[in-house]
Amino acid sequence: MSAEGTDPYDRRIALRAGGLLGEFNAAGVLDAGDVHVATRLGVIVEEHDAEVLLALALTARAVRLGATCLDLATAADTVQVPAPTGSNGTGTGLLDTAELPWPDPASWTDRVRASPLVGQRLLRIDLGRLYLDRYWREEVQVRDDLLQRLAAPAPQVDAGALAAGAARVFPRPGYEEQRTAATRAASRLTTVLTGGPGTGKTATVAGLLALVTEQQPEARIALAAPTGKASARLQESVGRELRALPAEDAARLADLRSVTLHRLLGSLQPRTGNRFRHDRHHRLPHDVVVVDESSMVSLTMMARLLEALRPDARLVLVGDPGQLSPVEAGAVLADLVDGLHGRSDSPVEALQTTHRFAGSIAELEQALRVRDADQVMHVLTTGADVELVDPTDAEAVASFREVSVDAAYAVTAAAEAGESGAALQALEAHRLLCAHRSGPYGVTGWNRWVERLLADRTGLTHYEEWYAGRPVLVLANDHGQGLYNGDTGVTVRAADGRLRVVVPGAEGPREFATTRLADVQTLYAMTVHKSQGSQAREVSVVLPPPESPLLTHELLYTAVTRAEARVRVLGTEAAVRAAVARTVQRASGLAERLALSR
Ligand SMILES: Nc1ncnc2c1ncn2[C@@H]1O[C@H](COP(=O)(O)OP(=O)(O)OP(=O)(O)O)[C@@H](O)[C@H]1O
């Protein structure tokens, strides 16, 4: 690899970076931001050792990619850089970083340890890992706050009333797991409620809240989720489960409303900021805080949430540690489950039984959960509701594409006829999911494919941005209009001939003028990441080649469990096996920190 042919206008290139930083930047390991952080801090603390600045830049890079820290000893082996589309340097889909001048790990660590960056606590070395100070402090704080909660006295409960309540709230057979989990959680200050999709987490939360409010009728409850979309969905699903409760229990929870975590904590910079009105000095007033989709909560948000809780407030973290981690740094839920495993006072309640899926999708989910690659292949190739499509079989690929085109055609037909309900139903009937955003395996490529094949079928080519049948994905929260990043909708021709975008909502479909939707993209395909927390009747999944660093167990698991009735996976056996074997590598010290505190 060399800097030869480097495009001087590529914004990822830090033009003034020379030496080691310049080499790692030109090789695509570091981006301009990583280099900038290292050179700025280097100037401030007068650190000029190129190897130390490289360590700092690589730590900034690690955070950018979702880790909270960097292990210098293994950095040379674990740093992976995907090859740009179409220029596959080594034929593996990854660039070869072995030839870069990696410092010797032992002396590298010594030099970092002796650096003023560590002396002045801009960097921390702990548990054999290198941290930017902020993430080290957040990890330590999350551990300390959690351990303090675990050591605190449990809430007072009337055991007799609790047992009677649990029998009333979960009267039917088949709910034993949930009855036990809710009863235990009602007697604890902190609960981590985990379970795969459709294991009845929401039903458990509804029952738990009924039990808690029976004991503590004045309890103030907060129901929150990390994103607006997840919060809207939580409102809907909790509402549904509350309606299934005995009337007197549901009545105590009638006013329950879900909010985003940012809103709960009182964001002072609504879009992106991590500064909040509620903190250790201005605690949240709530007696119970429930957070759904906790797998999407970053380390920073978890730290902010824990410090804002009253020490005697109950906390219920709900989620599936097997799903994709947040976009920001940290994989806190998975770390909590790992780090608290085996403790006598472990707050983890794991629901195991799936109630939503049946048939071969349930078998596939099960095989993926236990990471049995042979069984995954067996189900994919023999199951009635699942299908593995060979990307080298042109005919099979053509019919895989046709499924998406059929689905898009159904949406278009309903949309042209002005039937918004039918158009939305058609949209929810099928979803095409990709790991990548761009490139031949990505959303942009597949969006184009479907658009082109649909045009062939309808004879209509759209030169305008908006047209009847255009499905859209909302890309940013707009609290004013009640639209959230991840919302989906369809452009429909209204009776007056104008185009309107219809978006489903908790109280029925809502209509928007196309001019009011600035931040949207066409949704013939979407990323697996964005699909998290949503469902479709049928799902088609495009797997990248086995070498893609995005191809992980969490990705495949999240993708196939979006489907209610049928899953098609376009990919080679090697890609499926690679996904089952590979887990998201997010360096973090939180699990070890918690385990060490036992
Ligand atoms: N014990 C049970 N027996 C039968 N059906 C159940 C049981 N528990 C929940 N269900 C039903 O199964 C479906 C999934 O339950 P629920 O929504 O609570 O799961 P979940 O774990 O919250 O799912 P996810 O978070 O993936 O949406 C719901 O329709 C729910 O009513």
Side-chain angles (χ1 to χ4, degrees), residues 174-175 178 196-203 233 240-241 293 355-356:
Y175 282 79
Q178 285 140 295
T199 46
K201 298 185 290 299
T202 313
R233 183 167 175 263
R240 196 174 47 236
E241 295 304 330
E293 299 284 357
H355 302 290
R356 184 180 295 139

Side-chain angles (χ1 to χ4, degrees), residues 128-247:
R129 300 166 173 95
L130 186 59
Y131 286 87
L132 301 180
D133 177 62
R134 166 182 157 185
Y135 295 95
W136 177 82
R137 278 188 290 117
E138 287 176 355
E139 266 195 15
V140 170
Q141 184 222 309
V142 166
R143 176 202 58 191
D144 291 349
D145 282 343
L146 263 176
L147 292 180
Q148 222 164 47
R149 296 185 64 82
L150 293 185
Q156 297 279 330
V157 288
D158 175 336
L162 182 57
R168 182 184 68 245
V169 170
F170 298 106
R172 284 188 281 157
Y175 282 79
E176 291 76 13
E177 225 177 40
Q178 285 140 295
R179 192 182 304 132
T180 308
T183 307
R184 287 208 199 121
S187 334
R188 284 204 198 113
L189 202 55
T190 306
T191 300
V192 180
L193 178 66
T194 66
T199 46
K201 298 185 290 299
T202 313
T204 308
V205 166
L208 166 63
L209 293 178
L211 296 177
V212 170
T213 50
E214 187 183 16
Q215 304 266 339
Q216 205 182 334
E218 303 302 317
R220 282 189 71 171
I221 300 171
L223 201 55
T227 67
K229 171 80 177 160
S231 158
R233 183 167 175 263
L234 176 63
Q235 177 79 49
E236 230 169 275
S237 55
V238 165
R240 196 174 47 236
E241 295 304 330
L242 288 181
R243 285 193 287 279
L245 290 178

Side-chain angles (χ1 to χ4, degrees), residues 523-543:
L523 169 72
Y524 291 118
M526 77 195 288
T527 60
V528 179
H529 246 288
K530 285 259 190 232
S531 76
Q532 213 164 349
S534 68
Q535 300 279 307
R537 221 162 55 72
E538 297 195 6
V539 169
S540 300
V541 186
V542 179
L543 292 187

